[in-house]
Amino acid sequence: MKFEGTVLTLLGVFYGLMGAVYWIWSKDDTGGVMLVGALALGLLPGLYLLWWYRRSGKRLRTEDRQDATIEEGAGVISSFPDSSIWPFVFAMGCFMGVLALVFGTWFAFPAIALGVMAMAGFTAESRRGGDI
Amino acid sequence: MTDLIERPVSTSDGDNVDHGTETSHHHDHHGPTGIMKWLTSTDHKVIGLSYTVTSLIMMIIGGAFAEIIRAQLVSPTSNLVSFSQYNELFTMHGSVMIYLFVGPFAFAGLANYLIPIQIGAPDMAFPRLNAFSYWLYLTGSITMLSGFLVGGGAANFGWVGYAPLSSAANSPGTGADLWICALLLTGFSAIFSGVNLVATIFYLRAPGMTLFRMPIFTWNMLVTGILILLAFPVLTAGLIMLYCDRHFGTHIYTVQGGGVPLLWQHIFWFWGHPEVYILALPFFGIVTEIFPVFSKKPVFGYRGMVFATLTIAALSLGVWAHHMFTTGAVLLPFFSIMSLLIAVPTGIKMFNWIGTMWGGKVHYSTAMLMSMGFLFTFLIGGITGIFLASPPLDFFTHDTYYVVAHFHSVVMALVMGALAGIYFWAPKMTGHMMHEGIGKIQFWFLFIGTQLFTFPLYLVGLHGMPRRMANYPINPSWQTLNEWGSVGAILIGISMVLFLVNVIYSWKKPVVAGDNPWDGHTLEWFTTSPPPSHNFLSLPPIHSERPTWDYNHPDHLAIEHNHKKQAKKSAKASAASDAS
């Protein structure tokens, strides 16, 4: 967790420095803004991971320790879905949505219907599924 | 249907049970079958295969466009296709290959299949999001190709869609809108894939699989995932603004309303240049897995490889405007320096690949030949790219066939990397070997075809022939060089036909591969071929970046990186956790 966070933070800081040099040197706002945006995209997840590492008492997870054995990691990892129709339904909704942008607003009606259906389905499935 | 997944049990060092036989005891998964299985599956292996097959179909479609283009260019006054059809063809050739083949094949096809297996995870971190991103990709592909069916034809402003050519006045018609909307869908698909890759690699590794024991392919996919998250949202935002310009009367990219056409180029290439590395890094990863296995050596300079990959990620965001040198409105020295710098980590990788083979016991399988072809072709593509990083040379060659030849060297190298990956991992995915003989013939057709196709284009570009022209001035030397290029394209086409022949042949006459046909190094070779549901029944102890090799060759264990420092650190950490 520590190293993951450090990598993201350092990448973000590098983009920030590069962005500062570029912005001052070129006075091009487009690139400057985008590079500073990249700074934020590195810092947000990076600092979050580091904060989480500190919060968990700087303890290394089994996957971060060189000497960890497979037995130490025994237990439930998480619950994983086996199959679900809702990703397909939701994507069809999105498909109809972009077709509405191209061919006409009437495509938006099936798009919204499919989207709402899929979101309801996703939520119900998450509540029902698994043992956690 | 949701399953709680527990960690697989360990296989201790002395235990010589053949773990392959245990699959029969494993319960088969209930759930839908047939087409419903494909529609509802959230298994990363099914999704990865769907991605791989779909993207290979896209490669064949895009390749067919390329063959028509090369047929048109055999003669300076050919009228095989009309000028507007030619514009549609080169636009859709580029779009299909870049957006629908190379990227999805690597960062969603092979990566989806392999990343969880290489790090000992049961699935991707967000399986349903993963399925969603596949369906977005498929519908996006259909949307883009359906441009050929509407009146006015497909998009015809080049795969870069430069403003103001892509405005409503200059490119009316639904084909252009379909192109924009297709990129919205595939863009979101890529962003979700990126999220999934990073989360999976950060959170689902097996115990002992530290970051510096991950296979280089996994490392490269992690960096690719981060770059996707940095680059793709920019493109998506740019496309939404382009759509607004076309339909809602905004003037973001048009001079008339106070907008700036150059803004599109900035936004597009801010995505477009990291995208080059999003495309290339997965293939770097593929060949880095293949060289050590067929040289019977560990990878040379593991840490150097990781460092180089991270450096490429860092620098890749600072080079976008080297595509825009001739606009006269960008900071030339900054982008020139950054573009030259990025050759350094790429060079480190080149030397590491050669160092991996150096002194090794090289076995020339098809996968290895393809990887060596990748090395050679990518070197040519890379070195000609260094010339383009120099503004004076770029002024001379910009928008000529020299640039076309440069990036076709690069992407044909990636195609060889893709085929290397297929030949290497097909036994794991299907349980059956690909035919090596046909594969080697295919390699030579592809390799010779590629060089025959690109070298004349470099020359014709240096003679000044501009790209994107259906007809060109009658000039004997240009015509001869174009004819040679077309011969190369035909050889590449034949090699792809041979690939299909090989797929069908290997399917009809299956040769059982076994779990570990190549004596592989990484975790995917430890499980069965194809892997069971949720991948592993047992895991070997992970003491280095080559756990399967260590398990199979206890006498030749891989040496750990900086093992002393790490041992001290983890002793300290475990003491601290005991105390608390």
Side-chain angles (χ1 to χ4, degrees):
Chain A
M1 194 63 78
K2 183 181 162 199
F3 195 79
E4 285 93 331
T6 316
V7 167
L8 288 175
T9 314
L10 285 181
L11 275 179
V13 169
F14 181 83
Y15 297 141
L17 287 175
M18 190 165 67
V21 171
Y22 174 73
W23 206 340
I24 293 164
W25 192 358
S26 73
K27 301 182 182 61
D28 163 37
D29 293 335
T30 320
V33 169
M34 287 192 289
L35 280 173
V36 172
L39 162 80
L41 269 170
L43 285 193
L44 278 174
L47 291 180
Y48 172 76
L49 289 179
L50 288 178
W51 171 75
W52 194 248
Y53 168 70
R54 274 175 65 97
R55 224 183 95 131
S56 61
K58 300 195 176 178
R59 191 168 301 160
L60 292 172
R61 301 173 301 170
T62 49
E63 55 263 50
D64 294 327
R65 281 180 25 229
Q66 298 257 333
D67 56 348
T69 59
I70 301 293
E71 288 82 3
E72 281 179 69
V76 172
I77 300 174
S78 181
S79 73
F80 288 89
D82 223 17
S83 58
S84 168
I85 189 69
W86 302 116
F88 176 73
V89 176
F90 198 46
M92 287 303 130
C94 296
F95 184 37
M96 298 290 155
V98 299
L99 291 186
L101 290 176
V102 179
F103 292 117
T105 324
W106 62 273
F107 262 115
F109 294 105
I112 292 167
L114 286 170
V116 170
M117 239 167 82
M119 275 186 261
F122 263 129
T123 316
E125 194 176 58
S126 303
R127 290 206 171 178
R128 195 175 60 239
D131 298 296
I132 296 177
Chain B
M1 197 67 64
T2 310
D3 280 356
L4 280 183
I5 303 304
E6 300 212 2
R7 281 216 195 272
V9 294
S10 80
T11 311
S12 59
D13 286 296
D15 185 7
N16 278 328
V17 180
D18 181 8
H19 44 271
T21 55
E22 287 171 26
T23 25
S24 50
H25 304 301
H26 192 69
H27 68 105
D28 273 325
H29 263 267
H30 35 77
T33 52
I35 185 129
M36 278 308 279
K37 180 173 180 246
W38 183 57
L39 289 182
T40 62
S41 181
T42 53
D43 180 359
H44 73 100
K45 295 185 286 294
V46 177
I47 297 168
L49 278 180
S50 303
Y51 256 119
T52 310
V53 172
T54 314
S55 60
L56 285 175
I57 293 171
M58 291 302 150
M59 178 186 80
I60 290 165
I61 294 173
F65 296 159
E67 298 293 339
I68 301 173
I69 292 171
R70 286 314 313 171
Q72 164 80 12
L73 292 173
V74 166
S75 138
T77 54
S78 164
N79 52 6
L80 179 70
V81 290
S82 71
F83 285 7
S84 70
Q85 279 172 329
Y86 186 81
N87 290 349
E88 287 174 36
L89 278 174
F90 72 67
T91 302
M92 293 309 272
H93 166 68
S95 303
V96 168
M97 288 299 200
I98 297 283
Y99 302 115
L100 306 183
F101 162 55
V102 190
F105 175 86
F107 65 68
L110 279 185
N112 246 326
Y113 199 98
L114 290 167
I115 294 302
I117 313 184
Q118 284 199 328
I119 59 176
D123 204 319
M124 295 293 269
F126 309 116
R128 291 186 299 182
L129 186 69
N130 199 15
F132 179 53
S133 87
Y134 172 69
W135 295 114
L136 283 187
Y137 161 61
L138 185 66
T139 50
S141 307
I142 293 169
T143 310
M144 186 182 286
L145 288 173
S146 62
F148 283 110
L149 304 176
V150 297
N156 57 2
F157 38 56
W159 74 279
V160 292
Y162 273 178
L165 181 59
S166 54
S167 70
N170 295 322
S171 298
T174 33
D177 287 328
L178 283 170
W179 183 86
I180 294 170
C181 290
L183 293 192
L184 288 180
L185 289 175
T186 56
F188 276 110
S189 153
I191 293 168
F192 296 146
S193 288
V195 170
N196 239 331
L197 284 171
V198 175
T200 308
I201 295 172
F202 277 2
Y203 286 99
L204 284 180
R205 303 194 305 274
M209 178 64 78
T210 59
L211 276 182
F212 277 95
R213 281 179 186 164
M214 293 196 308
I216 295 282
F217 179 70
T218 305
W219 253 113
N220 282 20
M221 292 317 305
L222 171 63
V223 174
T224 306
I226 294 171
L227 282 180
I228 288 175
L229 294 181
L230 288 166
F232 267 87
V234 177
L235 176 72
T236 308
L239 285 164
I240 291 170
M241 292 193 276
L242 180 62
Y243 185 86
C244 291
D245 260 15
R246 288 173 62 87
H247 293 281
F248 299 147
T250 58
H251 292 284
I252 298 165
Y253 303 124
T254 49
V255 179
Q256 290 91 339
V260 189
L262 201 64
L263 180 65
W264 168 261
Q265 291 194 31
H266 273 297
I267 289 176
F268 183 85
W269 289 116
F270 194 83
W271 162 81
H273 207 86
E275 163 75 357
V276 173
Y277 292 98
I278 292 169
L279 299 182
L281 285 177
F283 296 97
F284 291 177
I286 290 171
V287 299
T288 318
E289 294 299 300
I290 291 171
F291 282 130
V293 168
F294 292 110
S295 306
K296 294 261 176 260
K297 278 175 69 188
V299 64
F300 178 82
Y302 178 95
R303 283 177 167 260
M305 281 294 211
V306 173
F307 170 75
T309 308
L310 286 171
T311 317
I312 287 178
L315 292 173
S316 68
L317 244 63
V319 296
W320 76 92
H322 67 211
H323 298 268
M324 302 157 56
F325 280 163
T326 50
T327 58
V330 296
L331 187 62
L332 296 179
F334 179 84
F335 291 108
S336 183
I337 292 167
M338 296 304 262
S339 309
L340 289 170
L341 271 181
I342 211 163
V344 175
T346 320
I348 292 178
K349 280 176 178 283
M350 283 284 166
F351 283 113
N352 281 356
W353 289 325
I354 295 168
T356 305
M357 287 187 283
W358 196 277
K361 217 171 126 189
V362 178
H363 171 61
Y364 294 95
S365 67
T366 308
M368 185 67 173
L369 283 176
M370 289 282 183
S371 305
M372 291 169 134
F374 163 90
L375 195 63
F376 180 81
T377 315
F378 193 85
L379 185 66
I380 291 177
I383 286 181
T384 51
I386 294 174
F387 295 127
L388 290 174
S390 157
L393 290 175
D394 187 72
F395 293 152
F396 180 64
T397 51
H398 189 78
D399 257 343
T400 68
Y401 262 86
Y402 185 83
V403 176
V404 176
H406 153 66
F407 71 72
H408 278 85
S409 281
V410 171
V411 289
M412 285 311 294
L414 302 187
V415 170
M416 286 182 208
L419 288 163
I422 290 175
Y423 278 98
F424 187 58
W425 280 302
K428 180 52 63 184
M429 293 174 172
T430 62
H432 302 300
M433 306 293 285
M434 299 275 280
H435 192 271
E436 282 285 305
I438 305 176
K440 284 175 187 167
I441 300 170
Q442 188 211 345
F443 166 74
W444 286 110
F445 268 99
L446 181 63
F447 184 73
I448 295 170
T450 300
Q451 314 312 335
L452 210 53
F453 159 63
T454 51
F455 274 79
L457 295 196
Y458 283 118
L459 292 176
V460 84
L462 289 177
H463 292 181
M465 178 171 167
R467 62 197 284 203
R468 292 177 180 155
M469 292 201 314
N471 285 351
Y472 49 93
I474 296 171
N475 176 333
S477 81
W478 284 18
Q479 187 176 355
T480 316
L481 289 168
N482 268 302
E483 281 165 0
W484 277 110
S486 298
V487 171
I490 290 170
L491 292 186
I492 296 171
I494 293 172
S495 89
M496 291 305 159
V497 173
L498 283 172
F499 175 65
L500 291 181
V501 169
N502 198 349
V503 169
I504 293 165
Y505 183 87
S506 314
W507 183 22
K508 293 287 172 198
K509 285 206 163 77
V511 179
V512 176
D515 294 349
N516 190 0
W518 313 116
D519 199 6
H521 296 174
T522 41
L523 274 182
E524 76 266 29
W525 303 108
F526 190 79
T527 184
T528 53
S529 306
S533 177
H534 297 301
N535 298 345
F536 290 98
L537 302 173
S538 63
L539 279 171
I542 300 165
H543 293 315
S544 72
E545 81 273 14
R546 303 199 292 167
T548 306
W549 169 274
D550 288 345
Y551 182 79
N552 290 332
H553 303 272
D555 305 336
H556 297 88
L557 294 179
I559 299 164
E560 291 182 43
H561 318 288
N562 69 349
H563 52 289
K564 279 181 195 155
K565 194 173 140 203
Q566 284 295 336
K568 221 188 276 170
K569 229 189 215 171
S570 37
K572 218 161 91 186
S574 61
S577 66
D578 286 346
S580 62

